[in-house]
Amino acid sequence: MREPNAIDFWRGFALVTIFINHIPGNLFERYTFSQYGISDAAELFVFLAGWSIGLATRGRDGTPEPRLTTVLRLLSRTIEVYRAQITIMALALAMIAGCALFLDNPLILEWHNAGGFFADPIQTMVGVVLLTHQLGFFNILPLYVVLIAIAPAVVLIGRVSRTLLLALSLALYGASLVFEWNFPSWPGEGDWFFDPLCWQLLLVLGFLANEASRESERLRRLWRRLMPLGVVIVIVGVVLAVLEWRPDPMLAPEPRLVFTFDKTYLSPARLIHFCGMVLAFQGVYALIAPHVGRLARFLSGLGRNSLAVFSMGSLLSLAGQFVRFQTGGGIFVDISVVGSGLIALGFTAWFVEWRSRRPRPTRKAPDAAAPADTPSSSRSA
């Protein structure tokens, strides 16, 4: 397994933050960075996905891998993420139903948009498979499926012209903001919580940032010089969060999404704040890694196995919601829920890597002197 590094470290940090934030009201939620800014861990997760695509589609020597290999690799990853989404959706619905039965409380069946499934399972099951019916707190992976599915086009266009790729991405982002384009939900009403037409820009920015930083020392120096600007943006975000100031969507001029802090459409304010976060914290890992070895290894382990850890974290956060609902929360409950959840996430990452490291049993070659149907030959096989 690769050694701890900044990308895996921050991806692990994002996974822990998402896990905590998906248990609303818990003690530790108030200490996550989403409470002190406009953007949150979702932006970090998607940006690092784009950065990782840039790394994964190049060889060890930094040269681009063959086009067909890139396409097949990313399509395989798309199928893997889609399979994970279907699996955790089925488990989450079973958990909700089981909790409703155990507590004898049918109102739990309405949690997180699950009521549609239990009221009309035939149509809703089709929607689950099509990703058009999503549960609350289980809507990041559908976005990820779409983004990884379009990633081959992102990579191939980027190899032809990075300027063209950025221009196309910005045009789609701008049009989606102005005309409020989004993927529709079905069979229920509404749209996707994360609009892929807007969030694709963050994936493209992550990919282009990786491509440019690999080849341009001048650009890396420029980013370091812009660190004070990033710090200023972060401070402004802290002030806005502490004062709880948000533009009123009803009073915002048209196109209103340009002037709000909307998460669904990744409004410009959220995008600017996240870019400021990247500039401000770009060198933090190199400073702290030598002093927090265990923490760096733990978070990097989560980041190396992000899909399995995210899937397990989604289910654990739902279980944590059930526990807080039944017990009423409190410091002891929150410490127990979050602490046991983090241990489980660490175990998940370890288990995935243990399976990949475990040596496969070698088959002993049959004895050439033994007949094919003898017991010794059967045991060897």
Side-chain angles (χ1 to χ4, degrees):
M1 298 301 167
R2 58 181 179 264
E3 294 298 320
N5 59 82
I7 302 302
D8 288 335
F9 175 86
W10 289 117
R11 185 154 46 189
F13 176 79
L15 290 168
V16 170
T17 304
I18 291 172
F19 165 68
I20 294 174
N21 288 340
H22 280 190
I23 310 175
N26 77 86
L27 171 68
F28 300 94
E29 183 183 23
R30 71 186 68 173
Y31 301 109
T32 59
F33 75 94
S34 60
Q35 305 297 310
Y36 300 94
I38 301 173
S39 62
D40 57 29
E43 282 88 347
L44 179 58
F45 194 71
V46 174
F47 178 83
L48 292 177
W51 190 289
S52 298
I53 287 172
L55 294 173
T57 54
R58 288 182 175 269
R60 293 182 180 274
D61 58 355
T63 58
E65 65 182 8
R67 294 185 180 88
L68 181 59
T69 302
T70 293
V71 172
L72 293 178
R73 179 195 301 278
L74 294 174
L75 290 181
S76 174
R77 183 62 172 175
T78 302
I79 295 172
E80 188 178 1
V81 177
Y82 174 79
R83 181 178 60 187
Q85 169 64 12
I86 297 300
T87 301
I88 65 173
M89 277 286 289
L91 292 173
L93 289 168
M95 289 173 64
I96 291 174
C99 185
L101 290 172
F102 180 76
L103 299 179
D104 193 22
N105 186 347
L107 294 179
I108 295 178
L109 297 176
E110 300 292 332
W111 278 26
H112 307 322
N113 198 33
F117 178 85
F118 297 110
D120 186 5
I122 297 177
Q123 290 193 81
T124 308
M125 189 63 207
V126 177
V128 169
V129 174
L130 296 177
L131 305 181
T132 59
H133 181 82
Q134 302 168 10
L135 297 181
F137 300 111
F138 288 82
N139 39 35
I140 294 182
L141 281 189
L143 167 69
Y144 203 55
V145 170
V146 175
L147 295 183
I148 301 301
I150 67 171
V154 170
V155 174
L156 296 182
I157 294 174
R159 290 180 183 177
V160 175
S161 173
R162 295 171 188 169
T163 302
L164 175 62
L165 173 62
L166 182 59
L168 291 174
S169 180
L170 284 170
L172 180 58
Y173 172 75
S176 301
L177 282 178
V178 172
F179 300 107
E180 300 187 19
W181 293 343
N182 196 353
F183 287 12
S185 297
W186 184 85
E189 299 180 353
D191 300 313
W192 283 31
F193 184 78
F194 292 98
D195 179 11
L197 300 177
C198 289
W199 282 77
Q200 53 78 28
L201 176 59
L202 205 53
L203 183 88
V204 170
L205 291 178
F207 172 76
L208 291 177
N210 172 260
E211 293 287 296
S213 65
R214 177 189 293 109
E215 301 174 3
S216 176
E217 176 60 31
R218 179 182 300 178
L219 181 60
R220 290 194 291 268
R221 289 198 300 268
L222 175 61
W223 285 354
R224 288 192 290 268
R225 292 173 184 172
L226 290 176
M227 185 180 295
L229 175 61
V231 173
V232 170
I233 294 174
V234 170
I235 293 174
V236 171
V238 171
V239 172
L240 293 177
V242 171
L243 296 180
E244 298 184 351
W245 186 86
R246 294 287 189 275
D248 187 343
M250 302 303 296
L251 299 179
E254 294 292 342
R256 64 180 184 85
L257 291 175
V258 175
F259 303 98
T260 60
F261 295 170
D262 191 89
K263 185 173 184 177
T264 295
Y265 291 88
L266 187 63
S267 62
R270 293 183 66 97
L271 185 60
I272 292 171
H273 179 263
F274 174 74
C275 291
M277 294 276 290
V278 172
L279 292 174
F281 289 91
Q282 59 183 295
V284 168
Y285 175 78
L287 293 176
I288 67 174
H291 309 288
V292 291
R294 291 186 179 180
L295 178 61
R297 289 192 295 271
F298 175 75
L299 292 180
S300 294
L302 301 185
R304 282 195 303 269
N305 306 279
S306 57
L307 181 58
V309 171
F310 180 86
S311 300
M312 181 61 69
S314 297
L315 298 174
L316 290 172
S317 64
L318 179 61
Q321 293 174 36
F322 292 151
V323 172
R324 295 194 82 256
F325 172 77
Q326 181 64 15
T327 62
I331 295 177
F332 177 77
V333 171
D334 289 343
I335 292 176
S336 301
V337 166
V338 174
S340 60
L342 293 178
I343 293 173
L345 294 183
F347 175 80
T348 300
W350 173 85
F351 183 75
V352 172
E353 295 186 353
W354 173 79
R355 289 189 62 194
S356 62
R357 287 172 175 161
R358 186 177 54 178
R360 296 180 180 179
T362 57
R363 293 186 177 182
K364 182 180 178 181
D367 188 350
D373 58 350
T374 62
S376 63
S377 176
S378 300
R379 287 194 298 269
S380 298

